[in-house]
Amino acid sequence: MDAPAAPAMAFKAYKYKEVLVRDYLLADSYAPYTSVLGGILMCKLAYDFTRIISSFKFKGYASLNNMQKIEWNNRGMSTVHAIFITVMSVYLVFFSGMFSDQLDGPVTVRSSSISTFTLGVSIGYFITDIAMIYWLYPALGGMEYVVHHMLSLMSTMYAMLSGEAHVYIYMGLITETTTPGINLRWFLDVAGMKNSKAYLVNGVAMVVTWLVARIILFMYLFYHMFVHYDQIERMNTFGYFLVLIAPCIIFMMNVLWFSKILKGLKKTMAKRHTE
């Protein structure tokens, strides 16, 4: 009889925090749109911070060409967003209790001021990054990055404006946990440390985190969708098809990229073995 108490108490505590944030930090009805601007500002600050710190702390930064410096700073920006959205997504999905099956009502329509605000910040990042990718295309990424970012932006924006499918958006955003490792690998490569032990360790860590966050977690997402399909059917038509289609496309891209990561790690280990 006491089993459902923990999720219920966690949700009550979460709702209490939500009321404080809503009444004192997000009282303005334009807060979701303000959060998008906040996300863009966060990107600008992270970009500039990366540039300034790298100029002082990394001797090789000055020798990089202009395009390499832009990508270096861009990756610093994406790392900051990845850390932020991973922490918030893990908290909201697994610790807040907001999406617990112990609660009444469809999980597909549960949202809060905190979750809406967080989505807005992430939208600000996707807008900034897509703008940079388009402006410098294809230096910062090819068409696969454009497709991935556009799907992410469309899905996140729909969830923020409609209040639907927050649980699935955040499950998908947890995959950003792989971004710092990917960026670190690029930093090590540009810094001339491709043959270092750190590069090899980073490659192994990338395989593990990618497998967990972008393959296994997506399988759990699909299982969750299967169990709650009757609730998904009741969503807005556009949201219904978005929830069914977007994760499938992103998952296929994840599998393709994972195969490339495995090949890269295998090549690195084979090279070290011959040496």
Side-chain angles (χ1 to χ4, degrees):
M1 296 297 293
D2 296 331
M9 291 180 64
F11 185 68
K12 287 181 180 179
Y14 170 79
K15 293 298 290 184
Y16 175 72
K17 294 177 183 177
E18 178 194 342
V19 169
L20 293 179
V21 174
R22 181 188 64 215
D23 291 347
Y24 294 97
L25 298 179
L26 306 176
D28 192 340
S29 60
Y30 293 100
Y33 310 100
T34 304
S35 67
V36 174
L37 295 177
I40 295 174
L41 177 62
M42 177 195 74
C43 290
K44 171 61 176 174
L45 293 175
Y47 185 94
D48 290 340
F49 180 77
T50 302
R51 174 176 54 81
I52 294 170
I53 292 297
S54 299
S55 299
F56 286 101
K57 296 297 183 179
F58 177 54
K59 295 180 180 179
Y61 183 80
S63 64
L64 300 177
N65 60 48
N66 188 53
M67 194 62 247
Q68 286 177 319
K69 288 181 179 178
I70 291 175
E71 183 166 0
W72 182 287
N73 302 335
N74 176 272
R75 287 180 180 272
M77 175 187 81
S78 67
T79 297
V80 170
H81 167 262
I83 294 172
F84 165 78
I85 199 61
T86 296
V87 171
M88 293 304 299
S89 297
V90 170
Y91 167 71
L92 289 168
V93 173
F94 297 111
F95 295 100
S96 70
M98 185 170 70
F99 303 118
S100 172
D101 286 335
Q102 302 295 330
L103 302 177
D104 295 329
V107 69
T108 52
V109 295
R110 294 180 198 167
S111 62
S112 69
S113 297
I114 293 177
S115 64
T116 300
F117 183 87
T118 301
L119 290 180
V121 173
S122 201
I123 289 170
Y125 161 74
F126 285 124
I127 291 174
T128 304
D129 205 35
I130 288 174
M132 292 188 69
I133 290 174
Y134 270 117
W135 186 259
L136 301 168
Y137 188 85
L140 294 181
M143 186 53 61
E144 68 274 16
Y145 287 94
V146 175
V147 172
H148 177 273
H149 275 42
M150 288 302 296
L151 278 174
S152 299
L153 176 61
M154 185 188 308
S155 302
T156 306
M157 189 173 292
Y158 172 81
M160 185 190 74
L161 296 176
S162 69
E164 290 188 329
H166 280 215
V167 61
Y168 297 123
I169 298 301
Y170 279 115
M171 283 186 187
L173 287 173
I174 291 176
T175 60
E176 287 294 312
T177 191
T178 62
T179 299
I182 295 171
N183 289 339
L184 177 58
R185 191 170 187 80
W186 186 89
F187 289 141
L188 292 171
D189 189 4
V190 172
M193 300 177 63
K194 198 168 184 177
N195 295 321
S196 67
K197 184 178 180 180
Y199 191 83
L200 178 61
V201 172
N202 171 264
V204 174
M206 274 182 56
V207 169
V208 174
T209 55
W210 196 284
L211 178 63
V212 173
R214 290 184 179 261
I215 305 298
I216 296 176
L217 181 61
F218 260 74
M219 292 179 180
Y220 172 72
L221 186 154
F222 292 137
Y223 169 75
H224 192 282
M225 289 171 56
F226 174 77
V227 172
H228 298 84
Y229 182 72
D230 61 319
Q231 299 177 14
I232 295 175
E233 282 187 308
R234 286 180 265 166
M235 291 176 57
N236 176 278
T237 303
F238 179 77
Y240 169 77
F241 285 107
L242 194 63
V243 166
L244 292 183
I245 296 173
C248 294
I249 296 175
I250 293 177
F251 179 70
M252 288 188 290
M253 296 175 71
N254 288 341
V255 172
L256 177 62
W257 285 331
F258 185 59
S259 66
K260 293 181 178 180
I261 292 173
L262 286 175
K263 290 179 181 178
L265 178 61
K266 184 178 179 180
K267 183 178 179 181
T268 299
M269 295 183 72
K271 185 177 180 181
R272 289 179 65 89
H273 180 71
T274 56
E275 293 175 354

